[in-house]
Amino acid sequence: MSSIKVVTNILKVNDELTQQNKKLMNEKGLYVINLMSSPGSGKTSILEKVIAKLKDEVKIAVIEGDLYTTKDAERIEAHGVQVVQINTEGGCHLDGQMIRNALSHLNLDGTNLLIIENVGNLICPASFELGEDLIITVLSTTEGNDKPQKYPRMFEKSGIVILNKVDLVPYTNFNKDEFHKDIQEINPKAKIIETSCVTGQGIDELCSLLKEKISISNPV
Amino acid sequence: MHEAAIVESALELILAKAEEHHLTKIKRITAKVGELSGALPDAMQFVFQNASQGTIAEGSDFIIEQVEATASCGSCDITFPIRFYHPVCPSCGGLDNQVLTGYELYIDTMEGD
Ligand SMILES: [Zn+2]
């Protein structure tokens, strides 16, 4: 019997692919956002608002992850930006191989911002790095304010946490004070932005913050 | 269930390592899995028993050692366990602490013939 010391990261294959993807993204001068949330939080709606507002100033491409459908990709495409759809066919997250395939279908010359819309799920996508510069997690007020405590990993890794559907707070039992306190404890560095796609609240703030981050990472 | 993807990666790694060392049968594997790694040991075990069937790792002991999550506070110079994912320093109440352990997700050792 032989005994072998292995000590190798289980996600090595994903990490290596992600490193290669990251290199390509850097060469193209891309600022990369990994956008995560649970299903139905409204992240595609936020993305549409952001694209509509930024697309004249920033050249945007989108990778759209979805379990089976192309609905979200069609919504994004209607705004006239490049979009590639990845169907995970039941897979609960995007990984390095999927991103590599998607990148090969995009013409990234002159593109400044790549937004990867991950599969709607608060647990699994947090385990797989995609070479992103920024993680944005969206939570909506109808989901309850206990989600950050229940699924802290994603919130812990986020640079921006968006609380969406704030216009619905009066009709829910969502406790905003507890939410802010929990995020502060899990991830004191996260910037929290409250948004509503109905009233437009927070969208300008989000867009200014993104523009600032893109220009810092990629000075003209 | 992302444990499926994690275990498939692990198995790929184990089988490659076995080939490198000319093993024909794997008997025991130990994995270190941190409390903050986002992978549940029970789910990993379940997936492993299925995914390893028909490979030289079938029937091996797949031992998952959980690693406690700890952090250190720079101001107080102490190390403490992280409870409920909140890295709050028990001494000064500070939040800006360095996570030391808990994110492990690796194959530590394997044995076989
Ligand atoms: Zn302290």
Side-chain angles (χ1 to χ4, degrees):
Chain A
M1 177 121 110
S2 22
S3 194
I4 302 162
K5 192 81 186 154
V6 186
V7 201
T8 309
N9 187 337
I10 291 175
L11 297 177
K12 187 167 164 265
V13 179
N14 186 64
D15 290 352
E16 282 169 2
L17 281 166
T18 293
Q19 285 310 315
Q20 290 169 18
N21 292 341
K22 180 81 192 146
K23 192 165 167 270
L24 176 69
M25 290 162 175
N26 283 341
E27 279 165 13
K28 297 287 181 189
L30 290 174
Y31 186 77
V32 183
I33 295 173
N34 185 356
L35 182 60
M36 308 202 265
S37 79
S38 43
S41 65
K43 73 177 171 334
T44 309
S45 300
I46 291 174
L47 190 52
E48 285 184 278
K49 297 267 183 211
V50 167
I51 289 170
K53 197 161 171 62
L54 286 184
K55 70 175 179 186
D56 294 334
E57 294 169 73
V58 180
K59 196 170 169 207
I60 306 170
V62 177
I63 295 176
E64 200 38 73
D66 198 287
L67 291 166
Y68 301 104
T69 72
T70 58
K71 282 206 185 84
D72 289 350
E74 285 160 16
R75 282 169 61 182
I76 302 300
E77 202 162 30
H79 292 270
V81 298
Q82 265 197 97
V83 53
V84 175
Q85 163 86 31
I86 301 175
N87 277 126
T88 59
E89 285 162 10
C92 54
H93 60 271
L94 298 178
D95 64 25
Q97 182 64 52
M98 296 176 197
I99 298 299
R100 182 162 121 152
N101 295 345
L103 286 173
S104 71
H105 288 102
L106 286 168
N107 175 13
L108 296 170
D109 293 332
T111 302
N112 324 96
L113 176 62
L114 174 66
I115 302 173
I116 302 170
E117 184 174 344
N118 219 312
V119 179
N121 171 350
L122 280 176
I123 309 165
C124 313
S127 295
F128 292 82
E129 282 184 21
L130 301 178
E132 65 277 325
D133 297 292
L134 172 70
I135 289 175
I136 302 180
T137 297
V138 182
L139 182 76
S140 55
T141 56
T142 51
E143 294 167 66
N145 60 277
D146 58 339
K147 292 294 177 295
Q149 282 215 22
K150 275 184 154 159
Y151 309 109
R153 183 93 197 270
M154 198 168 277
F155 294 94
E156 195 195 344
K157 296 173 94 179
S158 301
I160 298 177
V161 174
I162 294 175
L163 180 61
N164 193 30
K165 306 187 189 177
V166 283
D167 54 304
L168 296 181
V169 167
Y171 313 103
T172 67
N173 58 3
F174 194 93
N175 185 327
K176 280 210 293 190
D177 292 339
E178 276 180 22
F179 167 77
H180 282 269
K181 185 175 155 284
D182 286 344
I183 298 293
Q184 173 66 20
E185 285 199 1
I186 294 166
N187 180 354
K189 294 190 187 96
K191 169 83 185 161
I192 301 172
I193 301 179
E194 298 186 0
T195 61
S196 161
C197 291
V198 177
T199 65
Q201 183 187 336
I203 301 296
D204 284 351
E205 188 188 357
L206 176 61
C207 288
S208 316
L209 191 60
L210 292 180
K211 272 200 305 194
E212 199 180 300
K213 285 178 181 285
I214 296 163
S215 65
I216 291 169
S217 97
N218 219 344
V220 185
Chain B
M1 184 160 87
H2 62 302
E3 279 81 2
I6 290 170
V7 169
E8 276 160 27
S9 291
L11 198 57
E12 208 174 298
L13 184 91
I14 290 158
L15 296 175
K17 209 69 180 173
E19 201 178 319
E20 196 183 301
H21 291 266
H22 310 291
L23 301 185
T24 53
K25 181 74 199 152
I26 298 168
K27 297 197 166 157
R28 192 183 156 97
I29 299 156
T30 51
K32 299 266 189 196
V33 177
E35 285 178 339
L36 308 176
S37 72
L40 298 175
D42 286 353
M44 288 180 69
Q45 195 64 257
F46 173 76
V47 177
F48 181 83
Q49 300 314 333
N50 286 291
S52 63
Q53 277 175 29
T55 73
I56 61 166
E58 182 174 345
S60 58
D61 290 328
F62 185 52
I63 298 156
I64 298 172
E65 292 174 356
Q66 269 217 292
V67 183
E68 192 191 35
T70 61
S72 70
C73 173
S75 350
C76 306
D77 201 21
I78 56 165
T79 298
F80 53 90
I82 303 173
R83 293 287 165 234
F84 309 110
Y85 286 89
H86 293 180
V88 184
C89 173
S91 171
C92 68
L95 292 170
D96 200 3
N97 302 304
Q98 177 87 28
V99 176
L100 299 176
T101 59
Y103 286 113
E104 295 76 6
L105 190 59
Y106 64 91
I107 301 295
D108 191 29
T109 60
M110 55 192 265
E111 286 166 37
D113 296 318

